[in-house]
Amino acid sequence: MNQTFVIARDILVNIIENEVPFSLAIKNTFRKQKVDKEQSRNITALVGCELRHHIIFDYLLNKYFGKIPLTYSSGVLFLLSNLLFLKRFDKNDIYEFAVTSLKEFDKSFENKKLDEFIKEIENSDSLIPNNIQQNSDEYFSFRFNTPLWIVRMWSKQYGKSVCIKMLKGNYKNTVTTLAINPLFTNETEVLQSSSDFDKTIVPGILSYNGKVPVRKNAFFEKGQIFYEKMATKVIIDSLDIEPIKKIAIYCSFPNNIYLDLVSRFGVNVSIDLINSNTQSYFENKKMINLLGLPYINVFDETYKEIYTSLSNPVNLFFVLPRNSMLDLLRSTPDYFIKFKQNMLDDIIKEQKETLENASSRLEIDGNIVYMIPTLSMKEGHLLIKDFLIKHPEFVLEEERQFFPYESLDSCLYYANIKKIK
């Protein structure tokens, strides 16, 4: 059997059945297998293409052939990926792999059935069956490779037209954006260093379109530029921040708000940075030591330890709790597999507890800035509304939902609430 397809099959099975993250499944397999650069690129492209069309491919396969274990059906999924989108593998090679795999499952399988399937696909105007009503949630689930429950949720919460815009926005590649740290460099210097950087509509934010990971860029390694979404920069720009007052940040996912604050107010700004993500904790510690930031205290704690991490109330508290991270639907081809609907209740419960714990460490006239990179009213607007009903000592100063189809290319909910008594 073709070794490229065998390796791709094993990776796909690992991702879908064992729920190993896409990047980790690729990385671990390539460590064990001897593959050259071209082969590794082809395998990654093949698996990625299948995942980005998996919902409709899996539906068609089950409809035509019945339920077949992924180990044996992956050849057909790869055949569809190459036939309709990639077009980089020899048709006969991938056809042979598909037939061989199917016959391993059922020795009586006849090539004629696969031939009929291919012919039907090639002669069809649309992959989505005619019995699926256009403009239905099911139709858009297939068209944009998004779980049906998510399509239904967005349609219900934001309306059909906004839902469709979100699905179209999610289907486009995300833009890698980075903030300039003006303490150490400037836009002109970075732009002149490489044509891989471009200006964006937000001052101080550059986009990166290089083929080499930006982490290997000298500016990035020295902390002179850092990851930041355009919407995050816009939000922080809008805040009335007094650096002499105490600032705290709680985050359960990677972010660089502390670096943004340092770039604005200098290395002497005082921040308590609470990480519940251990990897982020060590990365932040490394960057803080590299840049020499003496007044940033870093804690490796969960949302339950917020109260014990902060000895005194703070004036400004950035709260970035665990969330559904639905922004990853755009950038992570297997995220729709890993995130399940039944996970939402536990996430929302944790968000509420995180907000409660943070609010207990806020001084009067202080603000909580609540930010989550997702699209879910239950995690955003409705959660904040419920908190304000229970806490009349807080008022909402501003809230906004950023959508991926807007000019800021961001999937982010933000609320700024103030403690008035």
Side-chain angles (χ1 to χ4, degrees), residues 217-260:
N217 183 275
F219 287 99
F220 188 94
E221 290 177 338
K222 296 175 183 178
Q224 296 173 315
I225 57 176
F226 52 88
Y227 289 122
E228 184 155 83
K229 293 287 188 180
M230 288 187 281
T232 303
K233 177 74 161 54
V234 168
I235 289 169
I236 300 177
D237 285 347
S238 71
L239 299 175
D240 183 16
I241 303 174
E242 298 182 51
I244 61 172
K245 292 188 176 181
K246 195 67 175 176
I247 300 171
I249 303 170
Y250 170 80
C251 49
S252 64
F253 53 90
N255 78 90
N256 288 310
I257 288 177
Y258 79 98
L259 286 176
D260 186 293

Side-chain angles (χ1 to χ4, degrees), residues 179-186 223-226 259 262-264 291:
I180 298 289
N181 190 333
L183 297 176
F184 306 107
T185 188
N186 55 66
Q224 296 173 315
I225 57 176
F226 52 88
L259 286 176
V262 168
S263 72
R264 293 165 188 268
L291 299 180

Side-chain angles (χ1 to χ4, degrees), residues 306-369:
I306 286 177
Y307 190 90
T308 56
S309 298
L310 302 177
S311 56
N312 296 303
V314 300
N315 181 259
L316 177 61
F317 207 146
F318 289 91
V319 178
L320 291 76
R322 178 186 170 211
N323 62 89
S324 57
M325 300 286 287
L326 293 181
D327 188 37
L328 292 178
L329 285 169
R330 295 195 291 165
S331 58
T332 309
D334 60 322
Y335 193 69
F336 72 96
I337 295 170
K338 293 189 296 181
F339 190 79
K340 306 291 194 301
Q341 185 177 9
N342 58 14
M343 298 167 65
L344 264 179
D345 288 342
D346 285 341
I347 287 175
I348 292 170
K349 180 181 177 182
E350 185 172 320
Q351 289 167 340
K352 290 180 177 180
E353 291 184 31
T354 304
L355 196 54
E356 288 286 345
N357 293 340
S359 67
S360 70
R361 304 310 292 156
L362 192 72
E363 62 186 21
I364 295 176
D365 291 330
N367 288 71
I368 288 178
V369 175

Side-chain angles (χ1 to χ4, degrees), residues 30 34-44 88:
F30 289 169
K34 292 183 178 179
V35 295
D36 57 34
K37 288 185 178 180
E38 183 178 2
Q39 190 179 17
S40 66
R41 284 195 296 267
N42 286 337
I43 291 170
T44 302
R88 69 168 67 181

Side-chain angles (χ1 to χ4, degrees), residues 144-280:
F144 295 105
N145 200 53
T146 304
L148 181 57
W149 72 267
I150 292 180
V151 177
R152 285 174 172 165
M153 179 181 73
W154 286 347
S155 185
K156 180 180 179 181
Q157 293 181 353
Y158 301 103
K160 179 71 75 174
S161 62
V162 173
C163 174
I164 294 170
K165 288 180 182 179
M166 290 194 291
L167 291 168
K168 290 180 178 179
N170 280 350
Y171 214 59
K172 298 177 181 178
N173 292 330
T174 57
V175 178
T176 300
T177 52
L178 303 114
I180 298 289
N181 190 333
L183 297 176
F184 306 107
T185 188
N186 55 66
E187 279 194 8
T188 301
E189 186 177 5
V190 177
L191 289 169
Q192 289 179 347
S193 73
S194 172
S195 59
D196 293 335
F197 294 98
D198 292 300
K199 286 188 175 183
T200 68
I201 61 173
V202 178
I205 297 285
L206 300 179
S207 63
Y208 179 75
N209 304 297
K211 294 182 179 180
V212 178
V214 71
R215 284 181 172 273
K216 296 183 179 181
N217 183 275
F219 287 99
F220 188 94
E221 290 177 338
K222 296 175 183 178
Q224 296 173 315
I225 57 176
F226 52 88
Y227 289 122
E228 184 155 83
K229 293 287 188 180
M230 288 187 281
T232 303
K233 177 74 161 54
V234 168
I235 289 169
I236 300 177
D237 285 347
S238 71
L239 299 175
D240 183 16
I241 303 174
E242 298 182 51
I244 61 172
K245 292 188 176 181
K246 195 67 175 176
I247 300 171
I249 303 170
Y250 170 80
C251 49
S252 64
F253 53 90
N255 78 90
N256 288 310
I257 288 177
Y258 79 98
L259 286 176
D260 186 293
L261 297 176
V262 168
S263 72
R264 293 165 188 268
F265 304 118
V267 296
N268 293 324
V269 65
S270 179
I271 302 171
D272 285 325
L273 178 57
I274 307 168
N275 296 269
S276 64
N277 181 295
T278 301
Q279 182 179 349
S280 294

Side-chain angles (χ1 to χ4, degrees), residues 4 7-8 11 15 22-23 25-27 30 35-52 78 86 88-89 333:
T4 294
I7 295 173
I11 292 172
I15 292 170
F22 175 81
S23 57
I26 294 283
K27 186 176 180 180
F30 289 169
V35 295
D36 57 34
K37 288 185 178 180
E38 183 178 2
Q39 190 179 17
S40 66
R41 284 195 296 267
N42 286 337
I43 291 170
T44 302
L46 185 59
V47 175
C49 182
E50 197 290 321
L51 288 171
R52 287 185 172 89
F78 291 153
L86 280 181
R88 69 168 67 181
F89 299 99

